[in-house]
């Protein structure tokens, strides 16, 4: 059994339709990569050139980071695909649990001490 | 279990999920990532709370240089794309292409790591030691933790590349490569928040 599993394959079982879908998906991912680069540029430009008012820059770049998080998770890490229900559950639970922890730590350390 | 896999037609279209072991690795890895999310959040929280505490030492605005951070970000983002491309090659049973894309990922990761080490050395020269200030400690801990993840990821992928240098894509190693690429994406996700919260917010005031 274990031997069977460690044998390479001569060909791929992908059908024409599978290949078509895969190439389409690949295009979507390359587009999302281009979008991520664009978002990164935007964030750096917003801070470097001070085009955006400083008070607005922080929420602005945080939103950009949130968008990149979404793109990475759902497109690069396939969270949007079928069969990722539990993966979604875990990562959403992680984000939900860590948000109050992060806010609490920031306030606790930042406001009590300084 | 594995006996349900039809191996006569060639490599299944999702080789990483073709066996029960592969599916278990996949699920277990997402549980791990969930835990990692929480761990990184606590480090981010500590940094956000302590970043104003420079204790007379160098401040973020004096130290950070946007061009360097920008290059590091581009390197890591691109390495994320190359590992996506490696996974496409894997599904197509194109072993050689997968190895090339994975090796590219490792090289880009190494370049990133080199720049990060250079950056830390530079900051120490400018007087920001680990114990200089609360800002220094929390900065080195957060960014260093991410750097340690990069080191681990590089060691992991390199080990896979060496271990399976000649084996071709099998149902044993496909889940391993897949999970390693998930890990690499996660490192990139964390870096997105580091460059935003640590560097850009450090320079952009507020």
């Amino acid at each position: 059994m274990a031997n069977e599993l460690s044998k390479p394959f001569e060909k791929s079982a992908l059908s024409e339709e599978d290949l078509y879908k895969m190439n389409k998906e690949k295009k979507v991912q390359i587009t999302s990569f281009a979008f991520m680069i664009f978002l990164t540029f935007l964030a750096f430009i917003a801070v470097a050139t001070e085009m955006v008012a400083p008070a607005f820059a922080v929420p602005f770049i945080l939103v950009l980071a949130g968008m990149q998080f979404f793109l990475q998770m759902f497109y690069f890490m396939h969270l949007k695909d079928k069969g990722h229900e539990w993966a979604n559950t875990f990562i959403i639970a992680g984000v939900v649990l860590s948000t109050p922890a992060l806010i609490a730590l920031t306030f606790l350390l930042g406001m009590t001490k300084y | 279990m594995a006996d349900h896999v039809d191996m006569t037609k060639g490599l299944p279209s999702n080789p990483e999920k073709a066996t029960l072991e592969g599916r278990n690795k996949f699920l277990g890895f997402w549980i791990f990532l969930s835990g990692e999310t929480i761990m990184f959040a606590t480090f981010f929280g500590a940094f956000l709370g302590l970043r104003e505490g420079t204790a007379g030492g160098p401040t973020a605005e004096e130290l950070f240089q946007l061009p360097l951070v920008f290059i590091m970000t581009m390197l890591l983002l691109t390495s994320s794309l190359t590992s996506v491309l490696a996974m496409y090659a894997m599904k197509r049973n194109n072993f050689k292409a997968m190895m090339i894309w994975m090796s590219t990922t490792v090289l880009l990761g190494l370049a990133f790591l080199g720049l990060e080490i250079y950056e830390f050395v530079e900051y120490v020269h400018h007087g920001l030691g680990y114990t200089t200030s609360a800002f220094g400690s929390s900065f080195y801990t957060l960014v260093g933790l991410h750097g340690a993840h990069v080191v681990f990821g590089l060691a992991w992928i390199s080990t896979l590349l060496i271990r399976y240098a000649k084996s071709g894509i099998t149902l044993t190693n496909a889940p391993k490569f897949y999970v390693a690429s998930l890990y690499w994406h996660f490192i990139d996700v964390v870096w997105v928040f580091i460059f935003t919260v640590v560097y850009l917010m450090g320079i952009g005031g507020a």
Side-chain angles (χ1 to χ4, degrees):
Chain A
M1 205 56 232
N3 271 345
E4 277 294 292
L5 291 180
S6 338
K7 258 195 265 169
F9 295 83
E10 301 224 316
K11 54 185 178 14
S12 161
L14 289 174
S15 62
E16 284 292 312
E17 200 194 335
D18 288 338
L19 268 178
Y20 174 74
K21 270 191 202 152
M22 199 183 271
N23 285 334
K24 225 169 135 185
E25 176 75 17
K26 197 169 167 181
K27 267 183 209 149
V28 170
Q29 287 195 317
I30 290 175
T31 315
S32 65
F33 173 73
F35 199 54
M36 281 184 223
I37 297 280
F38 172 70
L39 291 176
T40 309
F41 260 105
L42 220 57
F44 274 88
I45 287 170
V47 172
T49 61
E50 287 169 358
M51 252 160 46
V52 209
F56 180 66
V58 172
F60 179 64
I61 58 176
L62 283 177
V63 168
L64 291 182
M67 284 164 79
Q68 280 218 50
F69 174 77
F70 180 85
L71 284 175
Q72 281 274 353
M73 284 285 170
F74 285 84
Y75 287 87
F76 275 20
M77 294 169 85
H78 307 282
L79 270 187
K80 65 176 174 50
D81 294 355
K82 256 195 303 190
H84 283 68
E85 293 79 11
W86 281 109
N88 267 292
T89 311
F90 291 127
I91 210 71
I92 291 168
V95 171
V96 168
L97 287 172
S98 52
T99 308
L102 194 145
I103 294 169
L105 267 171
T106 309
F107 283 130
L108 194 65
L109 293 170
M111 296 201 172
T112 336
K113 233 178 158 183
Y114 299 103
Chain B
M1 241 201 79
D3 27 300
H4 294 307
V5 191
D6 182 7
M7 309 225 283
T8 51
K9 281 190 200 142
L11 185 75
S13 54
N14 282 308
E16 78 279 4
K17 291 189 208 86
T19 62
L20 178 65
E21 187 175 337
R23 287 193 291 276
N24 285 344
K25 278 203 173 95
F26 166 79
L27 190 62
F29 197 74
W30 276 101
I31 301 177
F32 166 74
L33 287 185
S34 175
E36 287 268 287
T37 308
I38 298 169
M39 181 182 70
F40 270 107
T42 57
F43 281 86
F44 271 106
F47 174 79
L48 282 170
L50 297 172
R51 71 194 180 112
E52 307 288 336
T54 46
T59 65
E61 259 176 322
E62 288 163 16
L63 286 174
F64 297 159
Q65 286 170 342
L66 278 185
L68 181 72
V69 182
F70 184 73
I71 293 169
M72 286 166 77
T73 306
M74 285 300 142
L75 285 172
L76 214 56
L77 266 179
T78 314
S79 77
S80 202
L81 178 75
T82 54
S83 73
V84 160
L85 295 173
M87 288 308 104
Y88 276 111
M90 182 183 87
K91 288 184 183 187
R92 285 160 161 271
N93 198 23
N94 191 343
F95 180 64
K96 212 175 154 194
M98 182 187 82
M99 295 306 256
I100 290 171
W101 284 122
M102 271 306 199
S103 309
T104 318
T105 307
V106 170
L107 287 178
L108 288 165
L110 276 175
F112 172 86
L113 194 68
L115 285 179
E116 185 157 295
I117 292 168
Y118 162 79
E119 186 199 1
F120 280 12
V121 170
E122 199 70 355
Y123 292 168
V124 171
H125 276 302
H126 283 91
L128 186 78
Y130 189 73
T131 52
T132 306
S133 60
F135 162 67
S137 310
S138 57
F139 167 77
Y140 284 125
T141 311
L142 172 61
V143 182
L145 181 73
H146 176 266
H149 275 75
V150 173
V151 172
F152 183 79
L154 289 175
W156 182 2
I157 299 174
S158 309
T159 312
L160 285 178
L161 288 175
I162 296 164
R163 163 80 175 81
Y164 294 111
K166 289 190 177 75
S167 72
I169 296 160
T170 69
L171 293 182
T172 312
N173 65 23
K176 299 185 184 187
F177 278 107
Y178 185 81
V179 161
S181 95
L182 277 185
Y183 178 81
W184 197 256
H185 292 316
F186 185 77
I187 290 178
D188 196 34
V189 170
V190 174
W191 180 257
V192 166
F193 285 100
I194 290 185
F195 88 68
T196 305
V197 171
V198 177
Y199 293 96
L200 293 184
M201 273 168 66
I203 290 174

